[in-house]
């Protein structure tokens, strides 16, 4: 199933960060805070401004992004957990 | 009876998702959270922008859509339960 | 007495829905929730947009409309109870 | 003393409604809710829109108007109680 | 010392109203509510609208004005108590 | 160190007012409310309006200004306490 | 890893201020309030105004800036703690 976000919404798949305690022990994810990184899976066609003009999004599919811990809504589609958020919830793009 | 939503409102019929517990037992719907998927039954003629221009909606009748758990108002028309929401409450369109 | 609503306001007369309990007994209206349907009695001359342009209303006298349970203000004029609401409180027009 | 309201403000004198209980007894006004009707005594010269244009008011001196129970501010001028409200607090004009 | 208000601000000196109880006894001011009348001492050069245009104020020095009980900020300048408020806090101009 | 405020921000140095109790005793400042007067040390280059135009500030370096008791943020730079506020927090300019 | 902030966001690295108590003892940072100074590491490409025009940021990489104690979101990237904030959270640029 394909999911097409509306307007300025973006579909993001969270990327789990490896967490190691000072003593070198890997902390299983449920014991740690949820990560704030993800990969963009789909983007909307843009936000309609007050003058009727549509502004395309700045992020694109495949971008690694940083977002707030409580950004967006979590949804399960075909067994996979994704997050639907507005582009404005994305703070930055991470580049290698 | 036909229901014609005003402006940027959309009429949606919820689609029940099948829910199966880990042990394979189907959970009757009243025991589970309400689904967030639906099918668009009718759309308004668009939102009037500040400059007087009318912007047509992005979703159309028949679209399968994803929306927030608390989006819109539930109404019973001719014995059928529908949800009237604003297009902005719709997060994404689901395509096969 | 004639009542002429200002701007984007609409005068609506509630239409009582018949309510029958599963066993076929008609529930008197005071024992049930207030209906959300009504008939438009009068409409304002439109909303003045920020650019000074006046936008006419979408509903017209005689329309059967659906509105939120807590929309508008109830007023008694000449012994009749009416509701004064903004057009934006009207969710949809019901057509036969 | 003459009172000249600014911008989109309107001066209204409340009109007391006669109240009769089902048994035909007139209820003195202090025992009933304050009426929501009044007569316009003075109107401002209009609201300045964002583009600098001034929009004249829709109500005029002498109009019988309907307004919300808590609209405006009560002021006593020369021993007479008046209400200063914004035109937007006026819901409708009552015509004979 | 001269005080020049910025933008759409107005400097007002409260005017005490004489208060007489029904029995004819003058109520000293501390025993009564603060008056809502004043005289304009100075006005700002106007409000800058969103389009960059400056709109001059409607009130002028010397105007007797009516304002809300909690409008503005009280300041003591050279031993005199004044109130700095926005023009929008002024409801009306009182004319003889 | 020089401090250059951004946009419509202004740097102000509080000016302590002498406070004398009715009996002629000078009240040390810590026992009294903080003053609301100050001198402008630096001003931003102006506020960008919605249309992209930049509007220069109305106050200038050296102006004696009046501001709300809770306006702005206090900062210590090079041992000196200053207040960074938006120009809109300044109510008036005091002239000799 | 490079981090590219979106729109009007700015990446800042906090600069710790040396704190010395009146008696000359250096207070370790954990015993003091968090500093409000930092250095700009990266800036977004600008804010899109309502008319679709993009306004470039006023701060640039390398600027020493002053910001509110609770501005932005703290993020750890490659072991370094940075703060992602909107340019509007930056009060001033500090120049030598």
């Amino acid at each position: 199933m394909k999911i097409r976000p509306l307007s300025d919404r973006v579909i993001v798949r969270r990327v789990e960060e490896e967490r190691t305690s000072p003593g070198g022990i890997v902390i299983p994810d449920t014991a740690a805070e949820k990560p704030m990184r993800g990969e963009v899976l789909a983007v909307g066609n843009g936000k309609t401004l007050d003058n009727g003009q549509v502004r395309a999004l700045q992020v694109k599919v495949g971008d690694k992004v940083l977002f707030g811990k409580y950004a967006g809504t979590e949804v399960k589609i075909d067994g996979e957990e994704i997050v639907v958020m507005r582009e404005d919830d994305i703070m930055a793009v991470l580049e290698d």
Side-chain angles (χ1 to χ4, degrees), chain A:
Chain A
M1 190 184 290
K2 222 187 125 222
I3 174 163
R4 175 167 55 84
L6 291 187
S7 303
D8 58 334
R9 285 191 180 84
V10 174
I11 310 281
V12 174
R13 182 203 292 123
R14 284 180 188 279
V15 174
E16 308 296 332
E17 295 172 86
E18 220 170 84
R19 280 132 196 274
T20 318
S21 74
I25 300 160
V26 174
I27 307 165
D29 203 63
T30 50
E33 277 188 336
K34 277 200 172 169
M36 303 197 301
R37 297 186 189 186
E39 184 182 343
V40 174
L41 298 184
V43 302
N45 61 328
K47 183 171 187 172
T48 303
L49 301 179
D50 280 355
N51 59 10
Q53 186 185 334
V54 175
R55 176 168 58 83
L57 297 195
Q58 297 171 259
V59 297
K60 55 182 195 304
V61 173
D63 276 357
K64 307 284 181 290
V65 293
L66 199 72
F67 50 90
K69 218 171 294 179
Y70 305 109
T73 305
E74 305 206 359
V75 190
K76 210 168 193 163
I77 300 286
D78 295 346
E80 183 184 31
E81 259 204 27
I82 59 172
V83 192
V84 187
M85 62 184 72
R86 294 189 179 273
E87 190 192 50
D88 199 52
D89 291 326
I90 296 179
M91 297 186 295
V93 172
L94 299 166
E95 292 166 344
D96 299 314

